[in-house]
Amino acid sequence: MFSPLLTVTTVTIHKLIANGSFGPDEIEVMKAAYEAALIDVGVTNPDEPIAELIAKSIVNVTATGERNPKEVMERALNALGVRRSAGSESQNSPTVEEDYQAARSGSGSRTP
């Protein structure tokens, strides 16, 4: 299934790390953390300015050596002072870890 958010996620993260030295595993961590962060804060339009700030923050956290996608997301959002959405703790919501595992297995990612 085609996901416009996933496509934009990939483009945004790859654009930011083009000059970095991240391997495929780190890139997957960043993509999973970024997509989950957008869902977490309720960003539905990846062209919103906050989306790029979130992506930059995720790249910065990953550059510190963190490789847990959930921790990357949490630290990136905390660094920006962004509050979690009230519905983000829903048991029906995909977790960062589920998105990361889906990306690693090649089955794509869930969409909101």
Side-chain angles (χ1 to χ4, degrees):
M1 178 186 335
F2 176 73
S3 168
L5 182 59
L6 182 59
T7 301
V8 172
T9 298
T10 303
V11 170
T12 302
I13 291 294
H14 282 280
K15 182 173 69 173
L16 289 172
I17 62 173
N19 296 324
S21 55
F22 295 104
D25 289 340
E26 291 88 0
I27 292 169
E28 289 304 321
V29 166
M30 288 185 280
K31 288 185 339 188
Y34 177 69
E35 186 170 326
L38 292 182
I39 292 167
D40 188 80
V41 299
V43 175
T44 57
N45 179 358
D47 292 328
E48 290 181 39
I50 188 68
E52 187 168 349
L53 292 173
I54 290 170
K56 288 178 181 179
S57 187
I58 285 171
V59 170
N60 289 338
V61 171
T62 305
T64 69
E66 182 60 58
R67 296 300 181 261
N68 177 319
K70 182 175 181 170
E71 186 64 25
V72 169
M73 179 193 79
E74 294 291 334
R75 288 177 51 191
L77 293 180
N78 287 340
L80 293 172
V82 178
R83 294 180 185 228
R84 298 175 64 87
S85 62
S88 67
E89 294 298 322
S90 167
Q91 290 185 353
N92 295 329
S93 300
T95 65
V96 177
E97 186 62 28
E98 288 170 338
D99 284 339
Y100 175 66
Q101 293 303 329
R104 288 189 49 89
S105 69
S107 64
S109 180
R110 300 181 185 193
T111 57

